[in-house]
Amino acid sequence: MLKQNTKPSKTKNPPITLILQVFTWIEVIVLVAASILLFFFPEVSNSRWVWKITPFNSHFLGAVYLAAIVPTAMLLVVRQWKIARLIIPMQLTFTMILLVVSLFYLDRFNFSRRITWGWFFLYIIIPVTTACHIWLYRRLRPMESTFVSSPWRFYLRVQTFLLTFYGLGLLFAPNTFTAFWPWKVDSFHSQLYSAVFFTLAIGAFLLSHVCLYTELFTLGLTEFALGFTQILGVLKADAKLHKINWLIPSTWFWISIFVLLLVSGGAMIWQSQKTAIGKQ
């Protein structure tokens, strides 16, 4: 449950800048194009993507981009600080980690393809843009004084810790923290995937203190989409390749991670809608 503060809010809720809107539109277009290629046409992606990518990794990254459409599109729908407060730090986290990891693995990239240059352009300009807007809005508090109840605050803090812990594991001990994955994941992909968990951790951390129901809905829908598309992606890939051993516990442990994200996201969506109805 979310608890309303009885004091009127004195904070402002400015619209996001035109520059941020333009780059967000570009992000949505790129995310849609990339997710379609990677998730729905993995056979084609190996010859078109910025590096050589196997079908399972193609589905995983495609699912990440499909889920990333949710918060990015929400920013375009709302176009106000009350949603940008959550999404901009998440965008900065995701793009910065991908950029840093990419710079450490330049030999993996095919620079004869224009899409590769587009990759580095986007993952340089987006962190710069988001960082500038975080600085621009640094003095603004949330539009409304909506505080998270104790159970939700505890849950979001636990989620922050677990997601951060696993993100650190993927980043600094990639072989150990992907040992139970249903397919072989190299250090490059493992460290790239750490961005997913760090990004969700930032979102949970921000909402563990103060959140609006629109923010809780956005994070919940993102987690739900990620959990659903990851499970669907691995089923889709294995239906053609038949390489996953479904009889070993490690496979189901991997599945359980994304089932938990799906359930967690659904609970956040439910709570946000319950709060929204209560405000009417």
Side-chain angles (χ1 to χ4, degrees):
M1 179 181 294
L2 299 178
K3 299 186 291 186
Q4 299 295 325
N5 190 3
T6 56
K7 295 181 180 180
S9 174
K10 296 180 181 180
T11 57
K12 296 180 180 179
N13 183 38
I16 61 174
T17 66
L18 180 60
I19 292 176
L20 186 57
Q21 290 184 46
V22 169
F23 277 105
T24 304
W25 270 112
I26 294 172
E27 281 185 80
V28 169
I29 294 170
V30 170
L31 287 171
V32 169
S35 60
I36 290 174
L37 173 65
L38 292 165
F39 193 85
F40 296 102
F41 301 100
E43 299 83 2
V44 179
S45 65
N46 192 41
S47 60
R48 299 294 179 94
W49 192 238
V50 296
W51 63 80
K52 290 184 178 180
I53 189 167
T54 62
F56 281 106
N57 284 320
S58 181
H59 280 90
F60 188 93
L61 191 57
V64 169
Y65 283 145
L66 281 170
I69 293 171
V70 172
T72 311
M74 281 294 292
L75 185 57
L76 286 177
V77 171
V78 180
R79 299 186 184 186
Q80 292 177 327
W81 166 242
K82 67 180 182 180
I83 196 70
R85 184 188 78 91
L86 168 71
I87 296 173
I88 293 177
M90 292 176 68
Q91 288 179 333
L92 177 61
T93 302
F94 184 80
T95 53
M96 271 299 297
I97 293 175
L98 260 63
L99 174 61
V100 172
V101 172
S102 298
L103 292 175
F104 275 95
Y105 290 91
L106 289 175
D107 59 313
R108 299 291 297 263
F109 290 81
N110 187 341
F111 285 95
S112 65
R113 297 173 182 170
R114 285 179 290 181
I115 189 175
T116 303
W117 294 99
W119 169 279
F120 282 96
F121 171 78
L122 285 174
Y123 284 110
I124 290 173
I125 197 67
I126 292 174
V128 171
T129 303
T130 50
C132 288
H133 281 82
I134 289 174
W135 177 259
L136 177 66
Y137 296 130
R138 68 190 184 280
R139 299 187 187 280
L140 292 179
R141 303 192 307 277
M143 177 188 172
E144 302 172 18
S145 297
T146 307
F147 296 91
V148 187
S149 64
S150 296
W152 272 101
R153 186 183 302 116
F154 175 77
Y155 171 72
L156 289 168
R157 287 176 178 174
V158 169
Q159 187 180 77
T160 299
F161 172 79
L162 293 176
L163 290 169
T164 302
F165 174 78
Y166 194 63
L168 288 170
L170 291 175
L171 195 60
F172 295 108
N175 294 331
T176 301
F177 280 77
T178 57
F180 64 90
W181 284 43
W183 70 94
K184 177 65 178 177
V185 182
D186 58 26
S187 296
F188 170 57
H189 285 95
S190 174
Q191 290 172 332
L192 281 180
Y193 299 158
S194 70
V196 178
F197 297 91
F198 282 124
T199 301
L200 293 178
I202 287 293
F205 173 76
L206 290 172
L207 299 193
S208 67
H209 299 281
V210 180
C211 77
L212 308 180
Y213 69 87
T214 50
E215 294 174 322
L216 193 65
F217 175 82
T218 300
L219 184 61
L221 188 57
T222 302
E223 289 190 4
F224 184 91
L226 181 64
F228 177 78
T229 54
Q230 289 297 352
I231 295 170
L232 180 63
V234 78
L235 292 174
K236 181 174 177 293
D238 194 55
K240 184 168 292 187
L241 300 174
H242 305 290
K243 289 188 175 181
I244 292 180
N245 186 348
W246 294 97
L247 300 178
I248 57 177
S250 59
T251 296
W252 291 101
F253 181 68
W254 185 92
I255 293 288
S256 69
I257 291 175
F258 295 98
V259 169
L260 287 173
L261 277 178
L262 189 152
V263 173
S264 171
M268 291 184 189
I269 294 170
W270 174 82
Q271 179 63 65
S272 67
Q273 295 305 296
K274 179 181 177 182
T275 305
I277 293 172
K279 292 181 66 176
Q280 292 177 356

